[in-house]
Amino acid sequence: IELFGEKLFAPILVGPVASQQDFHPDGELATARGASAAKATMIVSSRSSYPFDQISKHATTSALWYQIYAEDDLNPLNLRRAVDAGAKAVCVTVTDTGINWESVEQLRGLIDIPLLVKGILNATDAENVIDRGLDGIVVSNHGASVDQSHKSSIEALPAIAEAVQERVPILIDGSFRRGTDILKALALGARAVLVARPIMWGLSGYGATGVQTVLEILYNQLARSMAAAGRPKIPMIDRALVR
């Protein structure tokens, strides 16, 4: 697939996870090596165990994005360092039910790379992303800590996709564990899926090799599911696959 002019090997990105040294001594450095070996874009948390510029040295063959929090991470210096170190896009996570759009818009003036809002759960906020000239949406409920109804991300996706009508890319995260899960998200309107927890399982057990292996398992599962559904190419995946 293609996102913001960059070609991705598959519609699967490594989602942001903070403090990855809690899982493996090499933390994000190993994740970057594994993601790079699997040709996957990695999204680096602003709360990572290592600075972005150090992590970037281990992502030799794939892109890195940078993730920050609207509430407390709007540090122009850290943002500039990530951009200077090669970040291809920035995801700003909004975690409260009343999004501070003014804070998000401030970021737009600080960077000239794509800016996505992570934490969108309804069509109204999706429209706000577009109206403010932002570049993409990540449908996410942060483990149901935001939406008190505990609506899952994939339940929110169809209405958001209907409202957006492909004006900006829609990505999604939240409990994606298998290739069939990813196929459903693509069918319901997502351009790509962020996977995080399974990546940390691989990192915990086997370091960079574990990260690479988890991604390759997901690629294989997705390809097999696409073939079984009679949709061997990404553009052929449509809403008819999900009832």
Side-chain angles (χ1 to χ4, degrees):
I1 68 165
E2 186 172 301
L3 276 177
F4 309 117
E6 298 280 334
K7 289 191 175 181
L8 278 66
F9 177 73
I12 301 170
L13 289 78
V14 176
V17 178
S19 306
Q20 292 183 23
Q21 271 193 315
D22 290 348
F23 304 102
H24 188 277
D26 289 345
E28 291 83 1
L29 307 184
T31 303
R33 291 195 295 271
S36 186
K39 305 177 185 177
T41 293
M42 173 185 175
I43 305 176
V44 177
S45 170
S46 58
R47 300 174 183 177
S48 61
S49 303
Y50 295 91
F52 187 97
D53 56 353
Q54 189 172 349
I55 298 168
S56 68
K57 295 175 183 176
H58 294 259
T60 55
T61 59
S62 61
L64 295 181
W65 293 8
Y66 188 54
Q67 177 262 333
I68 59 176
Y69 293 88
E71 285 75 16
D72 55 11
D73 282 343
L74 299 185
N75 186 323
L77 183 59
N78 289 341
L79 192 61
R80 176 48 52 190
R81 284 174 177 164
V83 173
D84 290 346
K88 298 297 185 182
V90 171
C91 293
V92 54
T93 296
V94 289
T95 57
D96 56 8
T97 52
I99 298 173
N100 185 343
W101 290 108
E102 184 177 345
S103 296
V104 175
E105 286 178 320
Q106 287 175 3
L107 293 175
R108 176 72 289 167
L110 295 175
I111 58 174
D112 58 1
I113 58 176
L115 178 62
L116 299 86
V117 180
K118 183 176 184 292
I120 300 301
L121 281 170
N122 59 68
T124 299
D125 285 337
E127 288 286 357
N128 276 322
V129 168
I130 297 169
D131 292 345
R132 285 164 170 76
L134 306 174
D135 303 294
I137 289 165
V138 181
V139 180
S140 175
N141 70 356
H142 313 288
S145 62
V146 175
D147 183 8
Q148 295 303 310
S149 69
H150 299 287
K151 178 189 292 184
S152 68
S153 299
I154 197 130
E155 288 176 304
L157 176 60
I160 293 171
E162 180 68 24
V164 170
Q165 291 293 312
E166 299 185 355
R167 286 175 289 171
V168 299
I170 299 172
L171 286 69
I172 187 170
D173 73 359
S175 299
F176 289 90
R177 303 286 182 262
R178 296 176 294 274
T180 48
D181 299 338
I182 295 165
L183 180 60
K184 292 170 190 175
L186 300 179
L188 293 174
R191 183 80 61 87
V193 171
L194 279 56
V195 178
R197 192 169 300 178
I199 302 297
M200 293 301 100
W201 296 340
L203 175 66
S204 299
Y206 302 99
T209 301
V211 170
Q212 178 183 355
T213 301
V214 167
L215 285 163
E216 290 175 348
I217 288 170
L218 291 171
Y219 296 162
N220 185 280
Q221 290 178 344
L222 175 59
R224 286 174 176 270
S225 298
M226 288 169 59
R231 306 291 198 277
K233 297 181 180 180
I234 295 285
M236 297 173 68
I237 299 172
D238 57 21
R239 184 73 176 267
L241 289 180
V242 179
R243 291 184 294 177

